[in-house]
């Protein structure tokens, strides 16, 4: 039986570079208890007042991890960029039987190694950020989140095709293979879209579908 981890479980973040610091900071803003670990005393000091706990320690040493109580955490984020160090730290966490290990990878080969030795989740922050920015600067997309299998949810201004008439009559889903999920009108709250929803040129729409179909739909007015 898979152990269920509480949604408010404390999180340990190992490595306080840009990715690790951003992760620890956001967790703190979400009122999660955070233990931030790094070998750099200046970074540990910098974050001492920003997260619940900080400690200067070398996570490559399994005895050190035991001493600082990492084995008591159900979720640990390995935010170390160095391949050798991240692999060693991840292996240490597996040996400590940490239930959920999130590990940063700098390349596909790095990620495969991390997954093979036991990381439950491998993230590629640089690659994911680069992909997102490329889509944003190359078209009319205002925000972009991509999932597996080339599927995305985006925010954009509505093409003329769907403006000023019910969405049900715009044949968006059948002709362009995308779904208008919701609409955000100026000064109003987000609302889920229905067949009767009428979109104006002042609105923003949330659209889901395959990336290639969304790009084609977003650029219909060009």
């Amino acid at each position: 039986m898979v152990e269920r981890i509480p949604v408010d479980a404390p999180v340990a973040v190992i490595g306080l570079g840009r990715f690790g610091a951003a992760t620890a900071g956001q967790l703190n803003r979400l009122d999660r208890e955070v233990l931030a670990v790094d070998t750099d005393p200046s970074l540990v000091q910098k974050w001492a007042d920003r997260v619940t706990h900080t400690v200067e320690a070398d996570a490559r040493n399994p005895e050190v991890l035991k001493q600082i109580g990492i084995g008591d955490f159900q979720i640990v984020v390995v935010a170390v960029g160095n391949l050798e160090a991240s692999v060693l730290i991840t292996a240490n966490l597996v040996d400590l039987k940490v239930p959920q290990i999130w590990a940063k990878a700098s390349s596909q080969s790095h990620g495969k190694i991390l997954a093979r030795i036991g990381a439950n989740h491998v993230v590629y922050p640089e690659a994911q950020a680069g992909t997102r920015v490329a889509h944003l600067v190359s078209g009319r997309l205002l925000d972009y989140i991509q999932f597996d299998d080339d599927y995305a949810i985006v925010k954009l201004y509505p093409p003329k095709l769907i403006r000023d008439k019910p969405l049900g009559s715009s044949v968006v889903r059948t002709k362009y293979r995308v779904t208008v999920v919701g609409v955000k009108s100026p000064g109003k709250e987000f609302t889920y879209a229905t067949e009767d929803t009428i979109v104006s040129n002042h609105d923003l729409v949330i659209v889901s579908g395959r990336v290639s179909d969304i790009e084609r739909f977003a650029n219909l007015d060009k």
Side-chain angles (χ1 to χ4, degrees):
M1 183 176 178
V2 178
E3 181 180 0
R4 185 171 182 178
I5 298 175
V7 294
D8 59 349
V11 181
V13 178
I14 300 175
L16 285 171
R18 284 178 293 183
F19 174 68
T23 301
Q26 184 60 37
L27 286 167
N28 182 68
R29 286 188 285 275
L30 293 171
D31 294 324
R32 296 288 287 274
E33 183 178 347
V34 178
L35 170 65
V37 182
D38 202 285
T39 56
D40 187 335
S42 63
L43 289 176
V44 172
Q45 180 62 35
K46 177 180 178 179
W47 283 90
D49 296 328
R50 305 186 191 186
V51 297
T52 320
H53 310 286
T54 56
V55 62
E56 180 186 346
D58 188 349
R60 294 172 297 181
N61 187 328
E63 293 304 317
V64 170
L65 288 179
K66 292 178 183 178
Q67 290 170 11
I68 63 176
I70 288 293
D72 296 329
F73 282 81
Q74 294 177 292
I75 306 172
V76 179
V77 179
V78 182
V80 177
N82 177 272
L83 189 153
E84 181 180 351
S86 72
V87 168
L88 186 54
I89 293 168
T90 300
N92 289 338
L93 297 174
V94 172
D95 290 342
L96 288 172
K97 295 181 171 52
V98 173
Q100 195 171 118
I101 302 169
W102 292 72
K104 168 189 172 182
S106 56
S107 66
Q108 290 295 324
S109 58
H110 185 184
K112 287 181 180 179
I113 295 171
L114 292 170
R116 190 165 297 173
I117 63 176
N120 309 93
H121 305 275
V122 178
V123 294
Y124 303 86
E126 288 86 358
Q128 291 165 352
T131 299
R132 180 173 180 273
V133 170
H135 282 285
L136 295 178
V137 302
S138 64
R140 300 178 68 240
L141 309 185
L142 301 175
D143 206 352
Y144 174 96
I145 301 175
Q146 184 171 336
F147 302 91
D148 291 337
D149 301 323
D150 198 35
Y151 185 87
I153 294 179
V154 306
K155 177 171 69 175
L156 69 155
Y157 288 111
K160 292 179 181 178
L161 171 76
I162 65 171
R163 296 180 200 164
D164 302 320
K165 58 184 174 183
L167 283 173
S169 64
S170 63
V171 297
V172 172
R173 187 176 298 179
T174 55
K175 188 172 182 178
Y176 295 99
R177 295 178 298 199
V178 299
T179 300
V180 179
V181 178
V183 180
K184 176 67 172 69
S185 300
K188 297 181 180 179
E189 294 184 355
F190 169 90
T191 58
Y192 288 103
T194 69
E195 291 187 351
D196 298 323
T197 298
I198 297 177
V199 180
S200 76
N201 62 335
H202 299 295
D203 294 335
L204 294 174
V205 293
I206 308 298
V207 177
S208 65
R210 292 198 175 276
V211 174
S212 56
D213 293 330
I214 290 176
E215 290 281 6
R216 184 164 64 101
F217 173 72
N219 291 290
L220 285 174
D221 294 343
K222 284 191 174 181

